């Protein structure tokens, strides 16, 4: 069972969350909405970005990517990105003769790191990509996986109801591809002029949407061909949607290639209750009643249904066939009322031969690895390590994979 401290904190958490949701519900009734949307609540503290590498070896910066909405990103860059791979000098590889591709990868230059798109939790109505808990979690992911993490600050409900958050997730995927193309254009222009290419931090190039800036961290260090989606709670619903759209797009999504996704205690539900939904309806932190209210705030009134495609993956209306889905790691907690539906989704993926393991943690609660007071617990640390081990199978450069 969870500790006494967790139980007490859960009681306080649910009281405060219920009050917040009731206020949001009243504001929605009164029509207090904004087409621009918001990505954070005034009562939720935010950690400022720091572009310098701190004690943990991770630098951060914030980007506002859409002039029409409040969609924003926080980038997490580990200091390992500054390492330079050694040149091929004959016997440096212990008798192993590198391939041409290996030799290119080992050229002396900035390291190219995989990219993780991270979607925070909060029931679509709260949470932030810049909160202390999310900042800490993303730093941990960046270091453990040796990746660039892009934490997505999608629009919150009820100011921006469905499909705003899902559209924001997909928009970031396309933005990542656009960044890769812009960086390639800048590089090509520099080569055509005889090298150099100028200061990429100041480079701009015109496309069909006008003048666009190249994001220097991604241009120098990002490898969008090794992209992973990581969703926390309701963020897992967004990640799964983006994964499906990426599969549907196929080569049209290039140079971005989503290779896997991680769904951490997804915010799935449905009209026909599962065993855990009955037994654990009054579970810790996010119980069934609070989640139902969050869904009412997120889904438009005319579309409200617990079997809406955004809520129930078993009746998803945005394809593709499950057999085409990406490798999917699902994390569930023993005391989470939504656990059974997440497990069932993984089972359906495995039936069609998709790599879809489930990591279940005993005595754990919803958001046990991402909630502020639980971030440093042994379970949270173990979960982060387990995720890193699985994800590295799909982001390691061929020929340099770990053994499993």
């Amino acid at each position: 069972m969870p500790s006494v401290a967790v139980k007490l904190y859960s009681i306080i958490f649910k009281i405060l969350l219920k009050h917040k949701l009731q206020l949001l519900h009243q504001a929605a009734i009164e029509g207090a909405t904004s087409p621009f949307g918001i990505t954070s609540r005034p009562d939720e503290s935010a950690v400022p970005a720091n572009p310098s590498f701190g004690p943990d070896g991770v630098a951060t910066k914030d980007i506002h990517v859409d002039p029409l909405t409040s969609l924003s990103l926080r980038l997490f860059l580990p200091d390992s990105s500054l390492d330079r791979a050694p040149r091929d000098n004959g016997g440096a590889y212990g008798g192993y003769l590198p391939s041409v591709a290996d030799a290119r990868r080992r050229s002396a230059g900035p390291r190219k790191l995989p990219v993780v798109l991270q979607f925070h939790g909060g029931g679509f109505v709260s949470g932030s990509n810049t909160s202390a808990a999310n900042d800490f979690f993303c730093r941990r992911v960046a270091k453990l996986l040796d990746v660039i993490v892009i934490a997505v600050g999608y629009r919150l409900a009820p100011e921006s109801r469905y499909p705003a958050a899902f559209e924001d997730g997909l928009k970031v995927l396309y933005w990542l591809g656009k960044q890769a193309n812009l960086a390639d254009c800048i590089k090509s222009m520099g080569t055509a002029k005889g090298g150099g290419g100028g200061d990429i931090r100041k480079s701009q190039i015109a496309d069909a949407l006008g003048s666009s800036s190249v994001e220097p961290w991604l241009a120098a260090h990002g490898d969008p061909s090794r992209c992973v989606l990581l969703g926390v709670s309701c963020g897992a619903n967004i990640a799964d949607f983006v994964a499906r759209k990426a599969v549907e797009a196929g080569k049209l999504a290039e140079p971005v290639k989503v290779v896997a996704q991680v769904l951490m205690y997804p915010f799935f539900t449905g009209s026909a209750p599962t065993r855990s939904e009955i037994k654990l309806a009054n579970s810790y932190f996010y119980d069934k009643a609070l989640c139902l209210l969050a869904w009412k705030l997120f889904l438009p009134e005319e579309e409200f249904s617990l079997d809406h495609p955004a809520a129930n993956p078993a009746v998803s209306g945005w394809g593709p066939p499950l057999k085409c889905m990406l490798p999917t790691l699902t994390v569930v907690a023993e005391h989470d009322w939504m656990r059974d539906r997440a497990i069932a989704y993984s089972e359906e993926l495995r039936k069609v031969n998709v790599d879809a393991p489930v990591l279940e943690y005993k005595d754990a609660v919803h958001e046990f690895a991402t909630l502020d007071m639980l971030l440093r617990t042994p379970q949270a640390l173990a979960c982060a390590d387990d995720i890193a081990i699985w994800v590295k199978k799909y982001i390691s450069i061929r020929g340099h994979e770990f053994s499993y």
Side-chain angles (χ1 to χ4, degrees):
M1 294 292 291
S3 67
V4 174
V6 170
K7 292 178 180 179
L8 291 175
Y9 185 60
S10 174
I11 294 173
I12 298 172
F13 181 92
K14 289 202 286 187
I15 292 174
L16 295 176
L17 179 60
K18 182 178 180 179
H19 180 66
K20 176 185 289 188
L21 293 179
Q22 289 173 339
L23 291 177
L24 291 174
H25 181 67
Q26 185 62 35
I29 293 176
E30 296 172 355
T33 60
S34 168
F36 188 71
I38 64 167
T39 57
S40 62
R41 301 289 175 196
D43 60 333
E44 296 177 348
S45 61
V47 175
N50 183 1
S52 301
F53 293 109
D56 63 350
V58 177
T60 59
K61 72 160 65 171
D62 292 333
I63 304 173
H64 183 211
V65 298
D66 187 356
L68 302 179
T69 71
S70 58
L71 172 63
S72 63
L73 308 175
R74 171 160 290 185
L75 272 60
F76 296 80
L77 182 71
D79 53 10
S80 60
S81 61
L82 303 181
D83 297 339
R84 291 177 180 270
R87 291 184 182 274
D88 180 3
N89 58 0
Y93 301 101
Y96 167 66
L97 183 61
S99 64
V100 173
D102 287 334
R104 289 174 179 170
R105 286 194 293 267
R106 293 177 181 276
S107 61
R111 288 187 63 203
K112 292 289 187 178
L113 302 181
V115 177
V116 171
L117 295 186
Q118 189 263 356
F119 304 92
H120 66 81
F124 297 110
V125 298
S126 62
S128 167
N129 65 328
T130 61
S131 68
N134 201 68
D135 185 88
F136 184 92
F137 175 73
C138 289
R139 287 174 177 275
R140 176 178 286 171
V141 171
K143 288 296 288 184
L144 277 177
L145 273 70
D146 198 18
V147 297
I148 297 176
V149 176
I150 302 177
V152 181
Y154 55 85
R155 289 169 290 172
L156 301 177
E159 291 83 358
S160 301
R161 293 179 182 259
Y162 171 86
F166 290 78
E167 291 176 341
D168 287 350
L170 191 58
K171 189 176 296 182
V172 173
L173 188 73
Y174 291 147
W175 175 85
L176 181 60
K178 181 179 179 181
Q179 282 296 314
N181 288 327
L182 289 174
D184 285 344
C185 287
I186 294 294
K187 185 177 180 180
S188 298
M189 289 191 302
T191 303
K193 295 177 181 179
D199 186 354
I200 197 168
R201 291 172 296 182
K202 299 179 181 179
S203 297
Q204 287 192 331
I205 188 167
D207 62 6
L209 299 178
S211 181
S212 301
S213 297
V214 177
E215 204 323 285
W217 287 7
L218 290 176
H221 306 292
D223 180 1
S225 68
R226 294 181 288 159
C227 179
V228 176
L229 307 177
L230 192 160
V232 176
S233 189
C234 66
N237 299 43
I238 301 174
D240 191 62
F241 167 79
V242 175
R244 291 170 184 262
K245 291 302 182 182
V247 170
E248 284 184 338
K251 292 186 178 298
L252 295 178
E254 292 182 349
V256 177
K257 183 178 180 181
V258 182
V259 296
Q261 67 169 339
V262 179
L263 309 180
M264 299 182 69
Y265 18 82
F267 206 64
F268 295 155
T269 188
S271 58
T274 65
R275 182 178 178 182
S276 66
E277 289 173 350
I278 296 173
K279 182 179 179 181
L280 302 171
N282 193 33
S283 57
Y284 303 95
F285 295 101
Y286 293 90
D287 61 29
K288 191 170 183 178
L290 290 174
C291 291
L292 181 62
L293 182 53
W295 277 113
K296 289 181 178 179
L297 290 169
F298 176 63
L299 294 174
E301 186 175 350
E302 65 276 8
E303 294 184 40
F304 179 78
S305 169
L306 294 182
D307 287 327
H308 190 283
N312 190 346
V315 295
S316 182
W318 42 52
L322 289 183
K323 65 180 181 181
C324 301
M325 279 297 288
L326 302 168
T328 301
L329 174 66
T330 302
V331 174
V332 297
E334 181 184 9
H335 298 289
D336 182 1
W337 71 275
M338 293 174 274
R339 60 183 293 277
D340 281 2
R341 206 171 294 273
I343 293 173
Y345 182 45
S346 293
E347 290 175 346
E348 291 301 313
L349 290 173
R350 289 196 298 275
K351 286 179 182 178
V352 290
N353 298 319
V354 175
D355 182 18
V358 174
L359 295 177
E360 182 175 0
Y361 294 83
K362 299 297 181 182
D363 295 329
V365 298
H366 190 80
E367 288 225 46
F368 71 92
T370 45
L371 204 61
D372 48 7
M373 76 162 292
L374 303 176
L375 280 168
R376 292 174 174 83
T377 62
Q379 279 185 320
L381 295 172
C383 179
D385 288 338
D386 293 341
I387 289 173
I389 290 172
W390 184 82
V391 169
K392 284 179 180 179
K393 292 193 300 183
Y394 294 98
I395 61 174
S396 296
I397 296 175
R398 188 175 181 180
H400 299 275
E401 295 91 342
F402 290 84
S403 296
Y404 293 88

